[in-house]
Amino acid sequence: MDSDQLEQRARVAATVVREAGALALDYFRRRGDLRIDSKGLQDMVSQADRECEDLIFARLSEAFPADSFLGEEGGLRGTGSAMWVVDPIDGTANFVRGIPHWCVSIGLIEDGRALCGVLYDPVADELFAGVAGGGATLNGAPIGVTGETDLRKARVGIGFSYRTPVAPHPGDIHALLDAGCEYLRLGSGALGLAYTAAGRLDGYFERHINLWDVAGGLIIVAEAGGRLSDFMTPDVVAEGNEILVATPGIYDQLRGLFDA
């Protein structure tokens, strides 16, 4: 994909993510009327998730009919090498409980590489964006990771999914606290990556996360100067993977803690 094609996709994605965010925010404000279904242990989906994904698919498939599309709710559609990967509401558990920490995530992947990503938090009206070779921004202003090198001054986001065994999770928290590092568990992996890119966190770790949760944030972290684990393995679409992103000065220290 050449630079003009990529820039065009990035512009359209930014417009679409705002439109989907406005729809999701409307549902958030009247969430008492939402139909909510269970997909598994502590895993929910709402009418808002489905309708936001349908909107995003309609807009992107109209603009780029040759591209494929992977949505959390609707699965894979199309066979194009450039693939849009969408989480219509990352942080649904927060969303349905009225906790204002969730976002709409859109990422573009081609040949195993994240090329562009947009994450929109409509409650805060914050649009995080990144394009390969073009930097990372928050509402149009450049952002970057913290540059922290001392774990005793760091704060790391951490996630958990019941798709993985419970036992390692408290061990990970114990390891962070033993190292003098603070942690947060906020319930949105996408925003965990965005906050790392913007310097609000020094890193984010989750032992298993799906591609749609992080596809929008991968390039944002990379373009903000962060270091990322090898997430884009050949089976990541079907299987997900572990994710670690951090400001470079503490990445190896965190890797050592979580691998111990």
Side-chain angles (χ1 to χ4, degrees), residues 4-257:
D4 289 342
Q5 292 172 320
L6 182 55
E7 287 295 337
Q8 181 190 16
R9 282 166 170 77
R11 288 193 299 271
V12 171
T15 299
V16 172
V17 81
R18 283 191 178 275
E19 184 180 0
L23 175 61
L25 184 60
D26 179 59
Y27 273 116
F28 183 69
R29 288 170 173 162
R30 51 189 179 91
R31 59 193 171 275
D33 299 328
L34 278 178
R35 175 183 171 182
I36 301 166
D37 300 314
S38 174
K39 297 193 293 184
L41 182 59
Q42 295 287 349
D43 190 5
M44 292 173 283
V45 60
S46 75
Q47 177 185 358
D49 294 82
R50 295 187 178 103
E51 292 194 13
C52 286
E53 184 170 308
D54 288 347
L55 184 155
I56 295 167
F57 172 71
R59 298 291 187 268
L60 293 179
S61 60
E62 179 181 11
F64 310 108
D67 295 353
S68 56
F69 185 94
L70 175 66
E72 178 176 9
E73 310 308 334
L76 181 62
R77 288 172 267 190
T79 58
S81 61
M83 180 172 67
W84 295 100
V85 185
V86 172
D87 192 338
I89 298 176
D90 187 69
T92 300
N94 288 343
F95 180 96
V96 300
R97 289 176 173 84
I99 300 169
H101 187 80
W102 52 273
C103 69
V104 182
S105 172
I106 302 175
L108 181 66
I109 307 292
E110 186 175 46
D111 298 327
R113 294 180 57 238
L115 296 182
C116 79
V118 287
L119 304 175
Y120 183 50
D121 173 353
V123 178
D125 191 23
E126 291 188 329
L127 177 62
F128 301 85
V131 179
T137 60
L138 169 54
N139 289 346
I143 54 175
V145 296
T146 62
E148 185 59 72
T149 60
D150 187 349
L151 278 181
R152 296 169 298 177
K153 299 178 182 178
R155 179 164 291 202
V156 172
I158 193 164
F160 174 75
S161 165
Y162 279 100
R163 293 183 299 272
T164 59
V166 173
H169 182 67
D172 295 334
I173 294 173
H174 194 284
L176 287 173
L177 295 176
D178 267 355
C181 181
E182 268 289 356
Y183 76 94
L184 295 172
R185 181 169 179 241
L186 297 176
S188 168
L191 285 176
L193 269 63
Y195 282 15
T196 300
R200 296 173 182 176
L201 294 173
D202 299 291
Y204 183 84
F205 176 70
E206 191 159 344
R207 287 200 173 268
H208 181 271
I209 197 164
N210 289 310
L211 176 59
W212 47 76
D213 295 306
V214 297
L218 294 171
I219 193 64
I220 299 174
V221 174
E223 289 293 324
R227 186 172 167 190
L228 296 80
S229 58
D230 184 17
F231 183 79
M232 293 299 299
T233 53
D235 61 352
V236 72
V237 171
E239 302 295 335
N241 205 348
E242 179 181 282
I243 187 76
L244 172 62
V245 301
T247 189
I250 64 167
Y251 181 93
D252 286 333
Q253 298 173 67
L254 291 173
R255 183 78 277 170
L257 290 180

